[in-house]
Amino acid sequence: MSTDSSDLFGALFDAPLANRTVPVLVPMPAPKPYSYSVPEGMAVEPGSVVQVPLGPRQVIGVVWDGGEDGVDPKKLRPISHVFDCPPLTREMRDFIDWVAAYTLSPPGLVARMALRAPNAFEPEPMVEGLKFVGGEPERTTPARARVLDTASDGLSWTRSGLAHAAGVSTSVVDGLITLGIFETIFLPPPPVVAIPDPEFAAARLEGPQKEAAAEIVSDVRKGEFSVSLIDGVTGSGKTEVYFEAIAETLKRGKQVLILLPEIALTASFMERFQDRFGAKPAEWHSDLAPRMREKVWRQAVTGEVRVVAGARSALFLPFEDLGLIIVDEEHDPAYKQEDRVFYNARDMAVVRGRIGDFPVVLVSATPSVESQVNGQSGRYSTVHLPTRFGDAALPDLHLIDMRRHAPERGGFLSPVLIRAIGKTVEKREQALLFLNRRGYAPLTLCRVCGHRFQCPQCSSWLVEHRFRKQLQCHQCGHAERTPEACPECGTLDHLVACGPGVERIAEEVERHFPEARTIVLSSDIMGGVKRLRLELEAIAKGEADIVIGTQLVAKGHNFPLMTLVGIVDADLGLANGDPRAAERTFQLLSQVTGRAGRTGLKSHGLLQTYQPQHPVMQAIVSGDSDAFYEREISERERAILPPFGRLASIIVSAETRHDAENHARGMRNAAPQVSGISVLGPAEAPLALVRGRHRFRLLVHGRRNSDMQGFLRAMLSQSPKERGSVQVQLDIDPQSFL
C-alpha cells in the first residue's frame, strides 16, 4: 500500500466517531472488503478483529486498510462487536493481501486461514487459585504438613496443582481452605508450553556444523530479510544447526515458526527440541484438539508462545513479533495446499519473511530444483553439510536389476533382497522395505470375465485393503466390502489381486520370516495418528525387526538400529507424465535410503528396478547428486519450465462431461493473445472423474518474467460465467498434474 493511502486511512480513523466508515474483510469469497459504520464510542483500528452483520448472520471479520468510500455512514450497517484481541499486524495484513493477489484468491478466504480459532478472540478466563496466608491447623497430619511445606514459598497454586506437588489428595487441600489457611485468588491461564531457554543445553556441534551454524546465526543477528538454504546429507546435523538460529532469535526477543511436512508424526522432533531448549514448542496441525488450537492461536498473537512447530497452515498464525521461519524438508510436496486457496507454504514463507523483514531458513537433504537454482544464482545463501554427524557413513547403495534377479512366482521381492533381510535380522538389526503404495493391491479383477473393480465416482481402480476386507478408492474415500463372487459374471473365488501394496509385501515377508517382528506403516493405518506415533516409537526402541512402509517412513525419522533399506519398486514414481517425476523420485528414494546407518552402524540400501541405467537410479547409487541436479536444471531451462518458466493450472469440473468440456473451451477462447504466454488444452485430466465430477484441464505456460497473474485476470474476466454445476479451480505454480 502506498504512503498516501496509509495516511488517508490514518486520517479516517482520527475522524469523529459518529462519522466513521471502515472496510471490513469477511471470511467469504468476496473480491474486496465491505464497508461498515463504527458506532459511537467504539474504538477500532486496522487489524481489529470484529463481528459484523452479513445478511441474516453475524460473522467474524477484520478491519482492513483502505480509504473513505464516500458512503453515508447512516446507510451502512454498524459493526456489532470488537473482540478483546490484539489486532492483526500491518505485516500480517500485507501478507494476506500478497497471497490473495498472487494466487488470485478472494482475500476473505486467505484471511479466513488466519482466523481459524474463533473462540480465541476473547481473553481466556482467569483460573481459580490458592495462596498461603499463614496459620497452623489444630491437627497437623503428615499430608497436611507436606501441603504447608510445599506452599510456604509464597507462590500461587491451583488446587489440583498443589495437591499433585505435595503428593496428597485434593480433599487435604480442601480441608486447609476451610480452615482459612489459604485464600482464593485468580490466576492468568497457564501457557500452553513453557518458555524455551536458548541456554538450556550446550549445542554439540562438530567442525562443519559449527561453521554452518555460525553462518546462519550471523544472518539472524543482522535482523533483516535473507533466505538461507541448509543443504546437508541425511544425518548431517541440519536440525542442530538451525536450532542455533532459533536460540539466537529467542535471545533477541523474537518469535519463531518451524514448518514441518508431517508435524503430527514427529514426536521425536519435539523431544529433540525439548532436550535443547528445556521445553517443547507449541504444536499447530489439523489433529490438534480444538481447545488447544484456540490456546495456541491466542498465545501466539499475544506473544506468550515463543516457538510454534506446525504444518503448512501455521504460516497464517498472526504472531505478535515473528523473527524467524524454518522450513524443514523444504522439498516436500506436503507444503502444497490444493484446496480453496492453492499455495506452496515454502514459497509463501519466503514472502512472509520479506514482508516482515526477517530471515528464513530452508532445510533439506534433497533440495527442490527451485531452491537449488536460487542458491546458484545468489538469491539464497547456501550452507553445505557434506558428511554425517559423528563421521557416520552413508549407506552403501546398490541396484537390483529385476530382469536378472526376478522374484519367485507370485512374489515381489528379489532373492537378493530376501537374503539381505535375513542377514540383517540375524544380526538383530532392522530392515526397512519401502513401497509408496497403500493397501494390499492396486487393482482387483476377475480371472473369468476380466471385470475390474472401479470406483463408481472416480476414474480410478479400487484398492484392496485385505486387513479391513474392503475395496477402497483413494481419491474420494468410497469403500465397499470385498465380494466373494464377481459382480459381473457371478463366478466364485476367481478374483485376483494385481500388483503389490504394503500389506501384500508384509504377507510375503511373513512367509519368508515367520519369526520376525513386522510393522506396517501407512497413512491409513487403523488407529490414526496416535497409533502411528506409537509404532514409530516402537521402531526407534528396536521393538521391530522389519518395517514395511509408504512415504511416511521418509519424513526425517531416526531409527538407530536401521541398517538395511530395500526399495521394492524404485521405478514407481517415474511411470507418469509429471515434469517433476525424476526430481521427486530422486528426493524420495534418497530420503528413504537415508534412514539407514544414522548412528554409525554399517548400512546398505538395495533398489529393485527394471531401469538400472535411468539417470535417477545412477545418481542415487553413485551419490552424485550434483550431476543429477545439473542435468535436471539443464532440462528445465531448455523446456522453459519452473524455475525458468511459469505454469498455472486451470481445472474445470462439472456434473456432466459436456458441461465441463464446453466451459473449458470457452475459457480457452477467452485467453488474450500475449507474447510469451501460451495456453495448452483443454484436455481431459488424467483423473477425468473425481467424486462424480468430470474434469478438464488447461495449462498456462509462460516465461519467467511473464505477467501470469495479469494474463489470468484478463482471461477470467472474458470467460463464460460459471453456471449450473460448473466449477473452476485455479492453481498458480502447480505441483500436481492429475
Side-chain angles (χ1 to χ4, degrees):
M1 178 174 295
S2 69
T3 305
D4 290 342
S5 64
S6 195
D7 291 343
L8 176 61
F9 196 47
L12 174 66
F13 274 82
D14 290 335
L17 291 176
N19 298 322
R20 288 173 53 189
T21 65
V22 294
V24 176
L25 193 59
V26 295
M28 293 187 62
K32 61 181 182 179
Y34 295 136
S35 295
Y36 287 88
S37 66
V38 181
E40 187 171 352
M42 179 180 286
V44 297
E45 62 179 293
S48 292
V49 181
V50 297
Q51 182 174 286
V52 295
L54 187 67
R57 299 177 298 143
Q58 292 285 329
V59 300
I60 306 298
V62 183
V63 177
W64 216 244
D65 305 89
E68 182 73 61
D69 58 11
V71 180
D72 184 351
K74 296 178 181 178
K75 297 181 179 180
L76 296 175
R77 301 177 77 178
I79 294 173
S80 307
H81 177 68
V82 182
F83 290 99
D84 186 4
C85 171
L88 302 192
T89 64
R90 177 60 182 269
E91 288 78 12
M92 189 65 194
R93 302 194 306 276
D94 287 348
F95 177 62
I96 290 171
D97 279 336
W98 198 98
V99 172
Y102 186 83
T103 63
L104 297 183
S105 303
L109 291 186
V110 182
R112 182 181 182 182
M113 295 191 292
L115 301 172
R116 282 183 168 170
N119 291 333
F121 301 152
E122 296 285 11
E124 294 183 66
M126 300 289 279
V127 178
E128 189 174 300
L130 303 173
K131 188 173 183 180
F132 179 61
V133 294
E136 289 281 343
E138 293 182 4
R139 187 173 61 87
T140 302
T141 64
R144 284 181 168 181
R146 290 199 300 273
V147 173
L148 294 173
D149 182 61
T150 303
S152 63
D153 57 9
L155 297 177
S156 301
W157 295 83
T158 62
R159 174 171 161 271
S160 59
L162 178 58
H164 178 76
V168 302
S169 67
T170 53
S171 62
V172 177
V173 177
D174 291 339
L176 293 171
I177 295 172
T178 303
L179 294 173
I181 292 172
F182 290 96
E183 68 174 356
T184 300
I185 60 172
F186 288 93
L187 306 171
V192 291
V193 288
I195 295 177
D197 178 5
E199 306 289 355
F200 180 78
R204 297 185 304 108
L205 301 178
E206 297 177 347
Q209 288 80 23
K210 281 184 179 179
E211 294 173 10
E215 190 170 336
I216 300 297
V217 168
S218 174
D219 288 335
V220 172
R221 285 176 178 157
K222 293 175 184 175
E224 59 189 30
F225 172 66
S226 64
V227 183
S228 302
L229 172 64
I230 303 179
D231 178 4
V233 298
T234 54
S236 60
K238 297 184 294 295
T239 304
E240 283 69 23
V241 168
Y242 72 67
F243 275 179
E244 294 312 294
I246 293 172
E248 183 63 29
T249 305
L250 293 173
K251 291 175 186 176
R252 293 169 56 84
K254 302 280 188 177
Q255 293 170 291
V256 179
L257 170 61
I258 307 167
L259 293 180
L260 300 166
E262 294 287 349
I263 182 66
L265 304 178
T266 50
S268 61
F269 172 83
M270 300 298 176
E271 292 170 3
R272 289 173 70 181
F273 189 95
Q274 185 173 28
D275 291 343
R276 172 64 179 84
F277 296 100
K280 291 183 179 181
E283 295 185 45
W284 182 269
H285 52 80
S286 58
D287 289 306
L288 209 60
R291 184 68 185 128
M292 182 55 69
R293 286 174 66 87
E294 292 158 9
K295 285 177 174 287
V296 173
W297 191 97
R298 179 79 189 189
Q299 294 182 20
V301 78
T302 60
E304 295 169 80
V305 162
R306 308 308 299 166
V307 182
V308 174
R312 60 177 182 253
S313 60
L315 188 61
F316 291 89
L317 278 172
F319 290 91
E320 179 197 44
D321 191 12
L322 188 59
L324 175 69
I325 297 179
I326 307 288
V327 185
D328 205 349
E329 309 290 357
E330 63 88 28
H331 67 278
D332 199 292
Y335 285 124
K336 177 71 176 187
Q337 173 163 300
E338 296 176 328
D339 179 37
R340 296 199 177 199
V341 179
F342 287 61
Y343 69 91
N344 189 314
R346 177 200 64 210
D347 299 340
M348 296 304 106
V350 173
V351 172
R352 186 158 187 189
R354 188 187 66 191
I355 291 173
D357 198 25
F358 57 77
V360 177
V361 178
L362 310 180
V363 187
S364 179
T366 53
S368 62
V369 168
E370 287 84 351
S371 293
Q372 287 278 18
V373 171
N374 282 329
Q376 292 174 5
S377 66
R379 292 187 188 91
Y380 299 171
S381 61
T382 304
V383 178
H384 294 283
L385 293 172
T387 59
R388 282 188 159 179
F389 184 79
D391 294 325
L394 289 164
D396 294 327
L397 302 179
H398 301 280
L399 300 176
I400 300 176
D401 188 342
M402 298 296 280
R403 298 168 299 182
R404 298 174 53 195
H405 305 283
E408 64 182 31
R409 184 176 179 82
F412 299 93
L413 302 179
S414 164
V416 177
L417 181 54
I418 291 172
R419 285 195 298 271
I421 296 170
K423 292 178 181 177
T424 302
V425 173
E426 285 177 10
K427 292 188 292 184
R428 298 185 180 275
E429 295 171 353
Q430 292 175 322
L432 168 65
L433 298 181
F434 169 77
L435 176 63
N436 202 20
R437 187 181 277 155
R438 293 178 285 159
Y440 184 84
L443 171 66
T444 301
L445 57 78
C446 174
R447 283 198 191 97
V448 176
C449 70
H451 173 73
R452 299 183 176 198
F453 287 82
Q454 184 172 347
C455 175
Q457 298 294 315
C458 304
S459 53
S460 60
W461 307 120
L462 293 178
V463 177
E464 181 182 358
H465 288 255
R466 190 157 291 190
F467 295 167
R468 298 180 180 179
K469 298 181 179 179
Q470 281 186 339
L471 297 174
Q472 187 176 21
C473 174
H474 288 171
Q475 300 302 322
C476 69
H478 168 83
E480 56 190 60
R481 188 82 175 170
T482 304
E484 295 181 358
C486 173
E488 188 72 22
C489 66
T491 306
L492 283 167
D493 299 326
H494 275 72
L495 300 181
V496 59
C498 300
V502 286
E503 292 177 13
R504 195 169 194 179
I505 298 301
E507 185 179 84
E508 185 174 352
V509 165
E510 289 169 4
R511 190 166 65 247
H512 287 288
F513 307 101
E515 303 300 320
R517 299 168 297 174
T518 303
I519 285 181
V520 177
L521 289 180
S522 177
S523 59
D524 52 12
I525 189 173
M526 296 182 70
V529 171
K530 185 175 181 180
R531 169 78 180 277
L532 276 171
R533 281 183 165 175
L534 292 174
E535 299 282 37
L536 289 166
E537 288 174 11
I539 297 167
K541 293 176 182 176
E543 296 172 4
D545 300 312
I546 304 172
V547 181
I548 301 136
T550 62
Q551 62 181 347
L552 284 176
V553 299
K555 302 290 184 180
H557 308 297
N558 188 24
F559 303 134
L561 295 178
M562 190 75 66
T563 59
L564 174 67
V565 171
I567 310 296
V568 176
D569 187 351
D571 306 324
L572 183 59
L574 300 171
N576 61 59
D578 189 333
R580 290 188 175 89
E583 177 191 5
R584 285 183 174 162
T585 300
F586 174 79
Q587 290 167 339
L588 186 56
L589 299 187
S590 297
Q591 293 281 343
V592 173
T593 53
R595 297 311 103 204
R598 295 171 69 92
T599 55
L601 297 173
K602 186 172 177 57
S603 59
H604 304 275
L606 298 174
L607 291 77
Q608 295 190 159
T609 175
Y610 289 93
Q611 306 177 66
Q613 299 306 315
H614 194 285
V616 171
M617 302 303 156
Q618 292 297 315
I620 291 172
V621 296
S622 68
D624 192 355
S625 60
D626 290 342
F628 170 77
Y629 279 114
E630 183 179 345
R631 177 180 177 276
E632 190 69 13
I633 290 170
S634 175
E635 289 189 0
R636 296 271 188 98
E637 188 171 17
R638 186 168 57 252
I640 320 178
L641 289 173
F644 303 100
R646 302 195 62 193
L647 293 175
S649 168
I650 302 173
I651 292 288
V652 180
S653 65
E655 292 176 358
T656 68
R657 188 181 187 280
H658 176 268
D659 287 348
E661 183 175 13
N662 274 2
H663 192 89
R665 292 191 181 281
M667 293 190 71
R668 173 66 182 85
N669 294 335
Q673 299 299 313
V674 175
S675 175
I677 299 181
S678 58
V679 181
L680 307 176
E684 207 166 36
L687 282 174
L689 184 69
V690 175
R691 294 181 176 87
R693 298 184 63 82
H694 297 265
R695 305 167 76 242
F696 275 77
R697 172 182 289 279
L698 293 157
L699 191 64
V700 184
H701 178 223
R703 295 187 176 276
R704 184 170 185 165
N705 59 354
S706 302
D707 181 9
M708 182 65 74
Q709 279 77 6
F711 177 89
L712 291 169
R713 287 190 190 97
M715 179 178 175
L716 292 171
S717 68
Q718 298 300 317
S719 294
K721 301 301 180 185
E722 297 174 33
R723 291 187 174 86
S725 66
V726 173
Q727 293 179 1
V728 176
Q729 287 184 333
L730 182 60
D731 184 1
I732 307 290
D733 305 328
Q735 297 289 309
S736 170
F737 293 85
L738 296 178

